[in-house]
Amino acid sequence: MSKAVDIVLLGKTYRVACPEGQEQALHEAAAELAARLAEAHAKMPSNNEQLAMMVALNLSSELLSEKQKNIEYAENMDERIRSLQNTIEQALLENSSINR
């Protein structure tokens, strides 16, 4: 179930649907977006549509960068796990051959 939540961006109030229990997260996201829009407006006063597009592109770029970092981290962890598994298997084999 969702409910309507009001957020303010660039001085304009928007009513958006939000899943129950996610209101705080929505307000935090809106506050982050509002701050980025204000920062972009301070650097380059422009119309709201251009500001929104510029900020959206920057956010998309950051998101893609973080996704790539997560993929690389997961691959690194997978490799480390495989290495540890091989080390454990080798130790078990050596231990079982000693105990025979």
Side-chain angles (χ1 to χ4, degrees):
M1 185 107 200
S2 65
K3 63 187 258 184
V5 174
D6 291 336
I7 60 171
V8 179
L9 300 170
L10 297 170
K12 186 172 179 182
T13 301
Y14 297 90
R15 181 162 284 212
V16 296
C18 177
E20 285 195 37
Q22 295 297 311
E23 298 87 359
Q24 182 64 33
L26 175 62
H27 283 292
E28 289 173 10
E32 175 69 18
L33 180 56
R36 288 177 183 244
L37 287 166
E39 181 182 325
H41 181 70
K43 288 180 181 176
M44 187 183 80
S46 184
N47 70 44
N48 289 352
E49 183 178 332
Q50 287 175 323
L51 285 174
M53 291 303 292
M54 195 169 62
V55 169
L57 284 170
N58 285 335
L59 286 169
S60 293
S61 176
E62 289 176 25
L63 177 62
L64 290 173
S65 176
E66 289 302 315
K67 282 183 177 181
Q68 185 59 40
K69 286 179 190 176
N70 284 338
I71 289 168
E72 290 169 6
Y73 178 79
E75 288 172 352
N76 185 10
M77 288 297 106
D78 286 345
E79 179 58 35
R80 291 178 73 183
I81 289 169
R82 279 191 295 277
S83 177
L84 285 170
Q85 285 174 327
N86 289 337
T87 300
I88 291 168
E89 288 172 3
Q90 187 63 35
L92 289 173
L93 285 173
E94 289 173 10
N95 188 34
S96 67
S97 66
I98 292 172
N99 290 332
R100 285 186 185 181

